[in-house]
Structure formats: C-alpha cells, structure tokens
Amino acid sequence: MYPPRCSLCGLARICSGTNCGVQIERIAPTVDQACDRCGAPVGPHLDTSDGCSYCKTERFLFKRAIALGKYQGPLREIILKLKQNHGAYLGGDLGGLLFHRNAEIFEKLASSLIIPVPLHWTSRLHRTHNPASIIAEALSGRLQAKYSGNILAKRKRTPAQTSLTPSNRRKNLRDAFAIRRRKRVVGQTILLVDDVMTTGSTANAATRVLLDAGAAEINVAVVARAPGL
C-alpha cells in the first residue's frame, strides 16, 4: 500500500547512494580515495596498489577489500543497531548503498559466488540474524551472483576481536573456519562479506580456508573499515 522507505535516510524510495543526497552524506560521507588493498580511507593521489600505512605489513590472502565508509559517527551507530535483534531491517539498505557507491569496482571483480563471514552457532542462540548475511544477500541481488550462507562455517567460538591485540587476533582465529561444501568453491571468484573490518584478521582467516578448498580468488566487501583500532 505504501512506497518503500529507505531505512537509512527515511525517504520513501530505495537508496541508491545518489538520490538521498544530504541525508546519506551525513550518515556515510563519500570516501574520495580508499586503499586498493584494504579499503581504508587514504589521502589523495596516493598509490595504494601495494597497500597503505594500515596494511603494508599485513600478509593478506584476499586480493582487495571494498568498504562503504569509516567506522565512526552515524555509520558506526547504524552498524551497532544492525547487530541488535531489532536492527536486521537496516542490512538491506546498507548493502544496497555499499553496492551503488562501488558499482564499477564490483562489476570488474566479476564475483561468481557471495559468502558472508559466519557466526559461531552459539552466537545464533541469542541473535536472530547474522548482519553479514543480510548485507551479502543484498549484494547478491544487485550483482546477480549466487549467494550461499552455508558453505563457510565458524567451528570454534572465539573471544571478541576488539578485545585483543593485532597479533593475538591472528592466533585467536587459527582454525576457526571450515568449509562444508568444498566442491562449490572450486574455481570460484568469491566475494566475502562482513559488516566491519578492523585489522583484516577475520577476513584473512576465512580467505585461507576458501583458497585451500580451491577458490580462484577472494575479495572482501564490508560496510565499514575501522583502521587503527
């Protein structure tokens, strides 16, 4: 009976990143330039093909990361709300905005399979949804690429990454992920999706498992990048 209403800006239309203007800029300011390798916002005219100050020393196995914006201000507040049981409705519009802001990059990646970073089963006992899954499904629809939320599994419960040092974050995720259907990833160009990327340790651990299973290439898409945290 009513036209669709954007959950981010409140206007009665689907957000595309171009038709919500000032409202969306307040929530997720356009990033003029981001690192080609880790997706972090960087200064203008900087060659980041080999990384930036945040990721040059990191041994990432994924090819590149794309982010909507920086994990701060209103965007941070929206992501925190998305993680709550009543915030699932925000994921679709965040995924749509992430796509529209980076449509050209996503099309060049030519992803054949989209996979969310999974939650451990114990997390799902008190959480009604996985934010990464909702964002990944939104990207899947816009990219016309296959989505699967049951190929990658988190088999080990781990402490929150935010409570650990960068070196301990890598150890924390050792052997944390497993593949359920190996044949479905062989030769695939995979877009791995999460809500936030800080050091990249989670994405890297998941990427390692996917590559070991025979995936051809892994790229990462997140709503927000939180470098230096």
Side-chain angles (χ1 to χ4, degrees):
M1 293 179 64
Y2 298 98
R5 185 172 294 275
C6 172
S7 63
L8 304 180
C9 72
L11 297 181
R13 54 194 174 196
I14 298 298
C15 255
S16 71
T18 60
N19 61 2
C20 291
V22 174
Q23 292 92 334
I24 285 298
E25 277 298 316
R26 288 172 182 160
I27 294 168
T30 302
V31 176
D32 293 326
Q33 185 170 342
C35 175
D36 290 337
R37 189 163 179 256
C38 76
V42 295
H45 315 303
L46 197 67
D47 180 10
T48 60
S49 54
D50 293 324
C52 65
S53 59
Y54 296 114
C55 69
K56 274 189 175 180
T57 60
E58 299 288 346
R59 296 180 179 178
F60 289 151
L61 298 173
F62 51 84
K63 187 174 181 181
R64 73 171 300 167
I66 303 107
L68 171 61
K70 200 168 183 179
Y71 188 62
Q72 62 183 15
L75 184 58
R76 177 179 178 274
E77 296 304 314
I78 285 178
I79 291 171
L80 291 175
K81 187 181 290 187
L82 169 65
K83 291 175 181 289
Q84 304 302 313
N85 286 339
H86 62 272
Y89 69 96
L90 294 164
D93 283 327
L94 283 172
L97 185 58
L98 172 61
F99 166 75
H100 287 292
R101 285 272 182 90
N102 300 279
E104 189 174 333
I105 296 173
F106 281 124
E107 288 169 8
K108 286 180 180 178
L109 294 181
S111 302
S112 55
L113 181 62
I114 299 180
I115 296 177
V117 172
L119 296 173
H120 189 258
W121 69 268
T122 56
S123 298
R124 299 198 297 272
L125 294 176
H126 54 81
R127 182 180 287 183
T128 60
H129 64 281
N130 177 5
S133 295
I134 300 173
I135 298 163
E137 287 190 79
L139 288 172
S140 171
R142 286 159 175 80
L143 291 169
Q144 296 296 294
K146 188 178 295 184
Y147 164 85
S148 180
N150 58 11
I151 288 178
L152 188 64
K154 191 173 184 183
R155 63 183 180 185
K156 185 174 76 171
R157 187 176 182 179
T158 56
Q161 289 289 91
T162 53
S163 65
L164 304 172
T165 63
S167 59
N168 285 335
R169 289 179 187 187
R170 300 183 191 95
K171 295 175 184 177
N172 183 42
L173 291 162
R174 193 169 294 158
D175 300 321
F177 296 103
I179 296 290
R180 286 176 174 155
R181 294 169 175 80
R182 300 180 70 91
K183 289 182 180 179
R184 291 177 63 182
V185 306
V186 174
Q188 301 283 353
T189 298
I190 295 173
L191 185 65
L192 182 67
V193 180
D194 207 352
D195 51 1
V196 181
M197 187 169 86
T198 306
T199 62
S201 297
T202 299
N204 215 38
T207 296
R208 185 183 301 277
V209 172
L210 291 167
L211 290 174
D212 287 347
E217 178 181 298
I218 312 297
N219 296 287
V220 177
V222 295
V223 171
R225 184 75 169 88
L229 295 182

